[in-house]
Amino acid sequence: MSILVTGGAGYIGSHTVVELSLHGYSVVIVDNLVNSSYDSISRVEYLVKKKIPFFNVDLRDSEALSKVFDQYKITGVIHFAALKAVGESTKIPLDYYENNVGGTVSLLKVMKSHDVKTIVFSSSATVYGDATRFENMIPIPEECPLGPTNPYGNTKLTIENILHDLYSSDHHWRAAVLRYFNPIGAHPSGLIGEDPLGIPNNLLPYLAQVAVGRREKLSVFGDDYDSHDGTPIRDYIHVVDLAKGHLAALAYLHKLNPDDGLYREWNLGTGKGSTVFDVYHAFSKAVGRDLPYEVVGRRAGDVLNLTAKATRANTELGWKAELSVEQACKDLWNWTTKNPFGFHVDHYSVNDGAFGEDRIHTVKFDDFSVSVANHGATLVDIQVDGAPKVCNFKDLKDYNLPSNPYFGATIGRIANRLPKGRFSIDGKEFVSGINDGRNSLHGGFHGFNSQYFFGPVARKGPEGVTLSFVYLDKDGNNGYPGDLLTTVNYIISPKSLEIEYQAELTPESSADATAVSLTNHSYFHLTDEENINNTEFKLVSSRFMEVDKEAIPTGKLKNWTDPDVTKPFVLSGRSFDHCFIVDEHPTKLDTRSLPLVKVLEASNGGKKLSIYTTEPSFQFYTGDGVNTKGYGERAGFAVEPCRFISAGAFDEWRNQVVVRKGEVYGGKNRYVFS
Ligand code: NAD
């Protein structure tokens, strides 16, 4: 049973989806992205570690909307979707009526036809208009006479009336009308926040842009009001508090007797007023410096005080705003510094019109680009000077082909082979999926390569653009114990790619220890030749693991002598599927602080690839078994830096892969093309 959230990609909607998900609700989002981007949803998924079905649907498209209701068992709707800019609404009122009122009518009709009669509606304090025109109406109670002063406010009041009429016509409808005061702040994680496209209309988003240098200074409209500092008073509510108000309203509606309906309004505000200067000072404090501002004349339509009376929501819904303006300012600054241009990140793009699992994320510098899919956090393309450097499939679906030799995939929980799928921790034996003869390969049947990774969170830093993906591998998947949270960071700079792995058991994990060895399984080729035979290689070490006929390590280390792999050699007819040793006695579970060691150099046709790692070993595979759509044997070579192969099955190597609760596994690889 799901809650449909319209406008769930927007500012307040995305924060509400987080709260819903964290409180056990299943959520489905409908949004036409007219004022938002899908990035907010991918970041919500990243945050809550749950998949959130999304439909890029305009509410006025009742046919498409109906299909969503057909597909999911919707029990209630939280309706945020609307256009919301007051100034714009005075210029294009018809668009506002058509979108806000028309969209709502369409939604209500579809709800009715699917017998869904529970709705929480985003109204606004704007419906009161200038409440100072009455005596004793500040703070503003829900009984205050209504009188919006602009088309946007009129659309909200019209929708309130429609909901009321609907309830009057059929007392099974349950409509909670929430009149918001001034939502501010951002999620404390810094992952989601308001992403105003164009010039912000509201005080804090504007101030935030002044703070990062996108706007010159704040204009304070009048300092001659009758307040403690002369600036007008408003009721600012932290967006997380506001989001929680929706859960309280939904719970209230759900608790009604089965045959009862309701139409009722609640103010969502703090009940405490703050002046423009109060907010200015709180935000300047969060930033750590006084921000430029200028006092200009009063703005037409502004009034002294619009503070909410919030006691109805406090007593009836059992909800109260808890977070301060200071906290909201800190959270907004955290969001702004981490995302100075909102969800936009220079050099980063997503394939047009793709959502969820169909997305491919590309970071492109002049002559170097890297593309990664959510499916398996798979590296689907590297282009150098316009030429591809890894084997891949054009169609993401082909990554599910049984013949896919793990092209570009993230490999886990245990990379490479485990004899008979067995490994032991503290004397207890576990068995992973047997998917390679008698053994387990690359994590078993449902390895990381086949999982949907949440995110990415894309961010630009001095080192380049980082795409951060996360995946929560549940206890028991493929026989591995414990809930393991894995983060894979692709750090792309103009000349190189770095992949960083981090994994740890969650505090809630039922098992106290597990086994992990993570890597990437790209197949590289430096030219467009049919195979890699002409490639020249040089390895850091000739020390390698002896293996048996099933390619399972015997436990012995030997030296590769023919050829001397530490000197350049042309591959020609030789084949490798062996683990070479970088550090014979590794001690660290998180190797990321170790220096990156160049472990392999490959060159062909004037192009060179150097691979570095902090890991103690790497599997070198010349792709002799490749036989899949578009590619034959030796179409590419794989270099998989990770822990010793089969470490979990050998007493003397086991510590490399055992991760206990509270410990962090980490590793880092770098790929440099020249
Ligand atoms: P927002 O613009 O960030 O979110 C609204 C979302 O609705 C956007 O993602 C937009 O793409 C989507 N949308 C708009 N029209 C649509 C349509 N026809 N079909 C499908 N999706 C559509 O705005 P917000 O600040 O998150 O506001 C959410 C709700 O709260 C709105 O109804 C707004 O009027 C109301 N509200 C906002 C404030 C405020 O200050 N932010 C104050 C009071 C009330």
Side-chain angles (χ1 to χ4, degrees), residues 220-233 274-278 304:
V220 176
F221 297 106
D223 64 352
D224 54 353
Y225 289 92
D226 187 17
S227 67
H228 76 86
D229 58 21
T231 58
I233 301 164
S274 306
T275 66
V276 169
F277 276 147
D278 288 340
L304 169 63

Side-chain angles (χ1 to χ4, degrees), residues 121-143:
F121 170 59
S122 298
S123 191
S124 165
T126 319
V127 294
Y128 297 115
D130 175 10
T132 59
R133 69 194 190 280
F134 306 108
E135 280 195 13
N136 304 325
M137 283 293 171
I138 303 293
I140 307 172
E142 285 82 353
E143 298 80 18

Side-chain angles (χ1 to χ4, degrees), residues 601-618:
E601 210 173 81
S603 34
N604 193 9
K607 298 284 174 198
K608 192 157 101 181
L609 167 62
S610 304
I611 298 181
Y612 301 74
T613 188
T614 58
E615 289 293 279
S617 68
F618 63 100

